[in-house]
Amino acid sequence: MGVVMRPLPLNPMEVGGVLNPGGVRSPDGSFMLFPRLVAAGNYSRIGLARVINDADGIPCDVERLGVVLEPETPYERASDGRGGCEDARVVHVPALGGYVMTYVALGPVGPRPAMAMSSDLETWTRLGLVDFSPLRGADMNLYPNKDHMLFPEPVPGPDGRLSIAMLHRPMFERPVKGDPHGRHHVSLPPGVLDERWSAWISYCPLEDADWAMPGRGRRPTFSGHQPLFAPVHQWEGFRLGAGTPPLRLAEGWLTIYHGVERVPGATLKPSLRYNAAALIMDHIDPRRVVYRSPTPTLEPQVAEERCGVVSDVVFPTAVDQHDTHLDVYYGMADYCIGVARMDLRPAASLAQIPDPGAIEAEFPEELSA
């Protein structure tokens, strides 16, 4: 549908781009974006903006309303001056009593998942870094982690208890001390054989989610970790991650995720190309994938997606549901924000959805649900 937000040339907080916004409906019915605002030196804040529609109902612009989170805590600031509150996803979770923001805290040990809560979308209370329980003896908090977001409704956990579920993407590498761009691989958790970054799911039983209550001071804790879906096709073969927070449709929980492929570049080093596709998880057990796009639903094609801070990137992070369509908001080449419209057809019968067994057969054995 076009570009909905570009960086303001004279705003020092946006010289590095505006991108990868969270999004949710406000109590007054407006659709609010929470864009990542990048200043010089890769210093990121999370802003607040109201989407403006044209006469035909197409998102065309935003009203900037300030900044809601900026690096303030030790886990959001690195010793070399970098820092970041990045790539927010925002979900209204009635079972937790408000809006929950998941975001990436770029601190001294690299990117880590963090959370905050709000009742009005303007004032946010930090909940701290997410605490992942060990997986077969491996400390899951040692791995950098991104692309994390909550389901808006509780779902049964692996033990049958109603739980808050989270999608996330652990990365099996660590930064090299003194080199902001250096990385080295680390050991995989026991039982995980594929080192490519993939989407995982973890759970917090509802009775243990008291971290959402004001003044508790306890970090959000999640367990029951399991790889959910891994790269299968060439256009996502390098790595992938969840994109938009899960949305309940008749067919199941829908997320628009991103997949990355290596493509020949102008130099000997291959370039990366980010694509987007749809995935549907089972209503009751989201560990069961019932549909997955065989081809991308969105690819870098227009100029703003092909050239920017990082070229050839579409990175979906927010979705606005309407009766007949979905508006998907996404980062364009890590520099501006676009919106794409996905039409909603009448709900398909289960007979029209591909056999999930055929889909699971494409996964490595250790990643099958």
Side-chain angles (χ1 to χ4, degrees):
M1 307 302 291
V3 180
V4 73
M5 186 175 185
R6 300 178 186 269
L8 295 176
L10 300 180
N11 187 337
M13 290 193 298
E14 300 182 6
V15 295
V18 296
L19 57 146
N20 303 356
V24 73
R25 283 280 162 186
S26 69
D28 69 2
S30 301
F31 194 73
M32 312 299 291
L33 292 182
F34 297 81
R36 174 180 170 187
L37 313 175
V38 185
N42 193 30
Y43 192 89
S44 296
R45 301 169 172 86
I46 295 174
L48 177 64
R50 179 180 288 108
V51 171
I52 298 173
N53 298 319
D54 65 15
D56 296 321
I58 297 174
C60 61
D61 202 351
V62 298
E63 176 190 3
R64 285 167 167 80
L65 299 173
V67 172
V68 294
L69 281 185
E70 59 181 299
E72 294 177 352
T73 69
Y75 58 80
E76 298 167 341
R77 307 188 70 167
S79 57
D80 61 3
R82 294 181 304 137
C85 300
E86 305 177 352
D87 298 356
R89 271 77 160 189
V90 180
V91 179
H92 183 231
V93 187
L96 296 181
Y99 297 91
V100 182
M101 177 190 293
T102 51
Y103 67 98
V104 176
L106 182 60
V109 291
R112 292 295 188 275
M115 293 173 61
M117 285 201 66
S118 176
S119 60
D120 59 8
L121 300 179
E122 297 180 8
T123 302
W124 291 85
T125 300
R126 286 173 169 83
L127 301 177
L129 294 177
V130 174
D131 183 17
F132 292 107
S133 67
L135 176 63
R136 294 187 285 274
D139 186 351
M140 296 299 291
N141 293 309
L142 294 180
Y143 299 110
N145 203 317
K146 285 189 173 185
D147 300 329
H148 59 297
M149 60 210 68
L150 299 186
F151 285 68
E153 304 170 17
V155 296
D159 59 2
R161 291 186 292 171
L162 277 182
S163 301
I164 301 298
M166 172 188 285
L167 301 180
H168 59 105
R169 189 190 71 181
M171 300 176 287
F172 306 121
E173 64 176 26
R174 292 181 192 157
V176 176
K177 189 174 182 179
D179 181 359
H181 303 291
R183 299 288 185 272
H184 61 80
H185 293 282
V186 296
S187 299
L188 302 178
V192 177
L193 304 180
D194 193 338
E195 68 178 10
R196 293 176 300 175
W197 304 350
S198 305
W200 287 52
I201 189 168
S202 298
Y203 297 85
C204 174
L206 203 54
E207 61 262 34
D208 296 335
D210 56 348
W211 38 262
M213 301 176 64
R216 286 302 173 109
R218 192 165 71 87
R219 288 169 57 183
T221 302
F222 285 78
S223 58
H225 321 306
Q226 180 177 318
L228 181 61
F229 59 100
V232 172
H233 306 289
Q234 179 179 342
W235 51 267
E236 59 182 11
F238 181 57
R239 63 179 182 232
L240 57 76
T244 60
L247 181 70
R248 179 186 278 276
L249 298 180
E251 296 84 357
W253 293 106
L254 169 72
T255 182
I256 310 298
Y257 71 98
H258 71 270
V260 186
E261 65 176 322
R262 289 182 181 268
V263 296
T267 64
L268 295 178
K269 183 179 180 181
S271 299
L272 299 181
R273 187 173 190 264
Y274 283 67
N275 306 290
L279 180 134
I280 297 179
M281 297 158 279
D282 183 74
H283 277 139
I284 303 300
D285 185 358
R287 295 175 300 174
R288 177 175 174 265
V289 174
V290 298
Y291 176 78
R292 185 173 183 174
S293 297
T295 57
T297 57
L298 186 66
E299 303 176 75
Q301 293 179 338
V302 303
E304 291 86 355
E305 299 162 351
R306 297 297 310 279
C307 299
V309 175
V310 181
S311 299
D312 291 322
V313 172
V314 293
F315 196 87
T317 49
V319 61
D320 184 20
Q321 183 176 12
H322 299 265
D323 291 338
T324 59
H325 62 271
L326 306 176
D327 286 335
V328 180
Y329 293 83
Y330 64 101
M332 309 172 87
D334 276 13
Y335 189 67
C336 53
I337 295 171
V339 58
R341 181 156 290 181
M342 177 182 288
D343 291 333
L344 288 178
R345 298 178 180 178
S349 69
L350 290 178
Q352 293 174 286
I353 297 177
D355 177 9
I359 298 173
E360 290 177 359
E362 299 177 325
F363 286 78
E365 181 177 352
E366 73 279 2
L367 294 184
S368 296

Coordinates of all heavy atoms in Angstrom, one line a residue, residues 231-276:
P231 N 13.9 -23.3 9.0 CA 13.9 -23.1 7.5 C 13.7 -24.4 6.7 O 14.2 -25.4 7.1 CB 15.4 -22.6 7.3 CG 15.8 -22.0 8.6 CD 15.1 -22.8 9.7
V232 N 12.9 -24.3 5.7 CA 12.6 -25.4 4.8 C 12.9 -25.0 3.4 O 13.6 -25.8 2.7 CB 11.1 -25.8 5.0 CG1 10.8 -26.8 3.9 CG2 10.9 -26.4 6.3
H233 N 12.4 -23.9 2.9 CA 12.5 -23.5 1.5 C 13.8 -22.6 1.3 O 14.3 -22.0 2.2 CB 11.3 -22.7 1.1 CG 10.0 -23.5 1.4 ND1 9.6 -24.6 0.6 CD2 9.0 -23.3 2.3 CE1 8.5 -25.0 1.1 NE2 8.1 -24.3 2.1
Q234 N 14.2 -22.5 0.0 CA 15.4 -21.7 -0.3 C 15.2 -20.3 0.2 O 16.2 -19.7 0.6 CB 15.6 -21.8 -1.8 CG 16.8 -21.0 -2.2 CD 17.1 -21.1 -3.7 OE1 16.6 -22.0 -4.4 NE2 17.9 -20.1 -4.2
W235 N 14.1 -19.7 0.0 CA 13.9 -18.2 0.3 C 13.9 -17.9 1.8 O 13.9 -16.8 2.2 CB 12.6 -17.7 -0.3 CG 11.4 -18.5 0.0 CD1 10.8 -19.5 -0.7 CD2 10.5 -18.4 1.2 NE1 9.7 -20.0 -0.1 CE2 9.5 -19.3 1.1 CE3 10.6 -17.5 2.3 CZ2 8.5 -19.5 2.0 CZ3 9.6 -17.7 3.3 CH2 8.6 -18.6 3.1
E236 N 14.0 -19.0 2.6 CA 14.2 -18.8 4.1 C 15.3 -19.7 4.6 O 15.4 -19.9 5.8 CB 12.9 -19.2 4.8 CG 12.5 -20.7 4.5 CD 11.2 -21.1 5.1 OE1 10.4 -20.3 5.6 OE2 10.9 -22.3 5.1
G237 N 16.1 -20.2 3.7 CA 17.1 -21.3 4.0 C 18.2 -20.9 4.9 O 18.8 -21.7 5.6
F238 N 18.5 -19.6 5.0 CA 19.6 -19.1 5.9 C 19.2 -19.1 7.4 O 19.9 -19.6 8.3 CB 20.2 -17.8 5.4 CG 21.3 -17.3 6.2 CD1 22.5 -18.0 6.4 CD2 21.3 -16.0 6.9 CE1 23.5 -17.6 7.2 CE2 22.3 -15.6 7.6 CZ 23.5 -16.3 7.8
R239 N 18.0 -18.4 7.6 CA 17.5 -18.3 8.9 C 16.1 -17.7 8.8 O 15.7 -17.2 7.8 CB 18.3 -17.5 9.9 CG 18.5 -16.0 9.4 CD 19.3 -15.3 10.4 NE 19.4 -13.9 10.1 CZ 20.6 -13.2 10.0 NH1 21.8 -13.9 10.2 NH2 20.6 -11.9 9.8
L240 N 15.3 -17.8 9.9 CA 14.0 -17.2 10.0 C 13.7 -16.8 11.4 O 14.4 -17.1 12.3 CB 12.9 -18.2 9.4 CG 12.8 -19.6 10.0 CD1 12.0 -19.5 11.4 CD2 12.0 -20.5 9.1
G241 N 12.5 -16.1 11.5 CA 12.1 -15.7 12.9 C 10.6 -15.2 12.8 O 10.1 -14.9 11.7
A242 N 9.9 -15.3 13.9 CA 8.5 -14.9 13.9 C 8.5 -13.4 13.7 O 9.4 -12.7 13.9 CB 7.9 -15.2 15.3
G243 N 7.3 -12.9 13.2 CA 7.2 -11.6 12.8 C 6.1 -10.8 13.5 O 6.3 -10.1 14.5
T244 N 4.8 -11.0 13.0 CA 3.7 -10.3 13.7 C 3.2 -11.2 14.8 O 3.2 -12.4 14.7 CB 2.6 -10.1 12.7 OG1 2.1 -11.4 12.1 CG2 3.1 -9.2 11.5
P245 N 2.7 -10.6 15.9 CA 2.1 -11.4 17.0 C 1.0 -12.2 16.5 O 0.2 -11.8 15.6 CB 1.6 -10.3 18.0 CG 2.5 -9.1 17.7 CD 2.8 -9.1 16.2
P246 N 0.8 -13.4 17.0 CA -0.2 -14.3 16.6 C -1.6 -13.7 16.6 O -2.0 -13.0 17.6 CB -0.1 -15.5 17.5 CG 1.3 -15.5 18.0 CD 1.7 -14.0 18.1
L247 N -2.4 -13.9 15.6 CA -3.7 -13.4 15.4 C -4.7 -14.6 15.2 O -4.4 -15.4 14.4 CB -3.7 -12.5 14.2 CG -5.0 -11.8 13.9 CD1 -5.4 -10.7 14.9 CD2 -5.0 -11.1 12.5
R248 N -5.7 -14.6 16.0 CA -6.7 -15.7 15.9 C -7.6 -15.5 14.7 O -8.3 -14.5 14.6 CB -7.5 -15.8 17.2 CG -8.6 -16.9 17.1 CD -9.5 -16.9 18.3 NE -8.9 -17.5 19.5 CZ -8.9 -18.9 19.7 NH1 -9.4 -19.7 18.8 NH2 -8.3 -19.4 20.8
L249 N -7.6 -16.5 13.8 CA -8.5 -16.6 12.7 C -9.3 -17.9 12.8 O -8.9 -18.7 13.7 CB -7.7 -16.6 11.3 CG -6.9 -15.3 11.0 CD1 -6.3 -15.5 9.7 CD2 -7.8 -14.1 11.1
A250 N -10.2 -18.1 11.9 CA -11.0 -19.4 12.0 C -10.1 -20.6 11.8 O -10.3 -21.7 12.4 CB -12.1 -19.4 10.9
E251 N -9.0 -20.4 11.0 CA -8.2 -21.6 10.7 C -7.1 -21.8 11.8 O -6.5 -22.9 11.8 CB -7.4 -21.3 9.4 CG -8.3 -21.2 8.2 CD -8.9 -19.8 8.0 OE1 -8.6 -18.9 8.8 OE2 -9.6 -19.6 7.0
G252 N -6.9 -20.9 12.7 CA -5.9 -21.1 13.7 C -5.2 -19.7 14.0 O -5.6 -18.7 13.6
W253 N -4.0 -19.8 14.7 CA -3.2 -18.7 15.0 C -2.3 -18.3 13.8 O -1.5 -19.1 13.4 CB -2.3 -18.9 16.2 CG -3.1 -19.1 17.5 CD1 -3.3 -20.3 18.2 CD2 -3.7 -18.1 18.3 NE1 -4.0 -20.0 19.3 CE2 -4.3 -18.7 19.4 CE3 -3.8 -16.7 18.1 CZ2 -5.0 -17.9 20.4 CZ3 -4.5 -16.0 19.1 CH2 -5.1 -16.6 20.2
L254 N -2.5 -17.1 13.3 CA -1.7 -16.7 12.1 C -0.6 -15.8 12.5 O -0.8 -14.8 13.3 CB -2.6 -15.9 11.1 CG -1.9 -15.1 10.0 CD1 -1.4 -16.1 9.0 CD2 -2.9 -14.1 9.4
T255 N 0.6 -16.0 12.0 CA 1.7 -15.0 12.1 C 2.3 -14.9 10.7 O 2.4 -15.8 9.9 CB 2.8 -15.5 13.1 OG1 3.8 -14.5 13.2 CG2 3.4 -16.8 12.7
I256 N 2.7 -13.7 10.4 CA 3.5 -13.4 9.2 C 4.9 -13.3 9.6 O 5.3 -12.4 10.4 CB 3.0 -12.1 8.6 CG1 1.5 -12.0 8.4 CG2 3.7 -11.9 7.2 CD1 1.0 -13.1 7.5
Y257 N 5.7 -14.3 9.2 CA 7.1 -14.4 9.7 C 8.1 -14.0 8.6 O 7.7 -13.8 7.4 CB 7.4 -15.8 10.2 CG 7.5 -16.9 9.1 CD1 8.7 -17.3 8.6 CD2 6.4 -17.5 8.6 CE1 8.8 -18.3 7.7 CE2 6.5 -18.5 7.7 CZ 7.7 -18.9 7.2 OH 7.8 -19.8 6.2
H258 N 9.4 -13.8 9.0 CA 10.4 -13.4 8.0 C 11.3 -14.6 7.8 O 11.6 -15.4 8.7 CB 11.1 -12.2 8.3 CG 12.1 -12.4 9.5 ND1 11.7 -12.2 10.8 CD2 13.4 -12.8 9.5 CE1 12.8 -12.4 11.6 NE2 13.8 -12.8 10.8
G259 N 11.8 -14.8 6.5 CA 12.8 -15.8 6.2 C 13.9 -15.1 5.4 O 13.6 -14.2 4.6
V260 N 15.1 -15.6 5.6 CA 16.3 -14.9 5.0 C 17.0 -15.9 4.1 O 17.2 -17.1 4.5 CB 17.2 -14.4 6.1 CG1 18.4 -13.6 5.5 CG2 16.5 -13.6 7.1
E261 N 17.3 -15.5 2.9 CA 18.1 -16.3 2.0 C 19.4 -15.6 1.6 O 19.5 -14.4 1.7 CB 17.3 -16.6 0.7 CG 17.0 -15.4 -0.1 CD 16.3 -15.8 -1.4 OE1 16.6 -16.9 -2.0 OE2 15.4 -15.0 -1.8
R262 N 20.4 -16.4 1.3 CA 21.7 -15.9 0.8 C 21.5 -15.8 -0.8 O 21.1 -16.8 -1.4 CB 22.8 -16.8 1.1 CG 23.2 -16.8 2.6 CD 24.4 -17.8 2.8 NE 24.9 -17.9 4.1 CZ 25.8 -17.1 4.7 NH1 26.4 -16.1 3.9 NH2 26.2 -17.3 5.9
V263 N 21.9 -14.7 -1.3 CA 21.8 -14.5 -2.7 C 23.2 -14.0 -3.2 O 23.9 -13.3 -2.4 CB 20.7 -13.5 -3.1 CG1 19.4 -14.0 -2.8 CG2 20.9 -12.1 -2.5
P264 N 23.6 -14.2 -4.5 CA 24.9 -13.7 -5.0 C 24.9 -12.2 -4.9 O 24.0 -11.5 -5.2 CB 24.9 -14.2 -6.4 CG 23.9 -15.3 -6.5 CD 22.8 -15.0 -5.5
G265 N 26.1 -11.7 -4.4 CA 26.3 -10.3 -4.2 C 27.3 -9.7 -5.2 O 27.9 -10.5 -6.0
A266 N 27.5 -8.4 -5.1 CA 28.5 -7.8 -6.0 C 30.0 -8.2 -5.6 O 30.9 -8.1 -6.4 CB 28.4 -6.3 -5.9
T267 N 30.1 -8.7 -4.4 CA 31.5 -9.1 -3.9 C 31.4 -10.6 -3.7 O 30.4 -11.3 -4.0 CB 31.8 -8.4 -2.6 OG1 30.9 -8.8 -1.6 CG2 31.8 -6.9 -2.7
L268 N 32.5 -11.2 -3.3 CA 32.6 -12.6 -3.0 C 31.7 -13.0 -1.9 O 31.2 -14.2 -1.8 CB 34.0 -13.0 -2.7 CG 35.0 -12.9 -3.8 CD1 36.4 -13.3 -3.4 CD2 34.6 -13.7 -5.0
K269 N 31.3 -12.1 -1.0 CA 30.4 -12.4 0.1 C 29.0 -12.3 -0.3 O 28.5 -11.3 -0.9 CB 30.7 -11.4 1.3 CG 29.9 -11.7 2.5 CD 30.2 -10.6 3.6 CE 29.4 -10.9 4.9 NZ 29.6 -9.9 5.9
P270 N 28.2 -13.4 -0.1 CA 26.8 -13.3 -0.5 C 26.0 -12.3 0.3 O 26.3 -11.9 1.4 CB 26.3 -14.7 -0.1 CG 27.5 -15.6 0.0 CD 28.6 -14.7 0.5
S271 N 25.0 -11.8 -0.4 CA 24.1 -10.8 0.3 C 22.9 -11.6 0.9 O 22.7 -12.8 0.6 CB 23.5 -9.8 -0.8 OG 24.6 -9.1 -1.3
L272 N 22.2 -10.9 1.8 CA 21.0 -11.5 2.4 C 19.8 -10.8 1.9 O 19.7 -9.6 1.7 CB 21.1 -11.4 4.0 CG 22.3 -12.0 4.6 CD1 22.2 -11.8 6.1 CD2 22.4 -13.5 4.3
R273 N 18.7 -11.6 1.7 CA 17.4 -11.1 1.2 C 16.4 -11.6 2.2 O 16.2 -12.8 2.4 CB 17.2 -11.6 -0.2 CG 15.9 -11.0 -0.9 CD 15.9 -11.5 -2.3 NE 14.9 -10.8 -3.1 CZ 13.7 -11.3 -3.3 NH1 13.3 -12.5 -2.8 NH2 12.8 -10.6 -4.0
Y274 N 15.6 -10.6 2.7 CA 14.6 -10.9 3.7 C 13.2 -11.0 3.0 O 12.8 -10.0 2.3 CB 14.5 -9.8 4.8 CG 15.6 -9.9 5.8 CD1 16.9 -9.7 5.5 CD2 15.3 -10.2 7.2 CE1 17.9 -9.8 6.5 CE2 16.2 -10.3 8.1 CZ 17.6 -10.1 7.8 OH 18.5 -10.1 8.8
N275 N 12.5 -12.1 3.2 CA 11.2 -12.3 2.6 C 10.2 -12.5 3.8 O 10.6 -12.7 4.9 CB 11.1 -13.5 1.7 CG 12.2 -13.4 0.6 OD1 12.1 -12.6 -0.3 ND2 13.2 -14.3 0.7
A276 N 8.9 -12.5 3.5 CA 7.9 -12.7 4.5 C 6.9 -13.7 4.0 O 6.6 -13.8 2.8 CB 7.2 -11.4 4.8

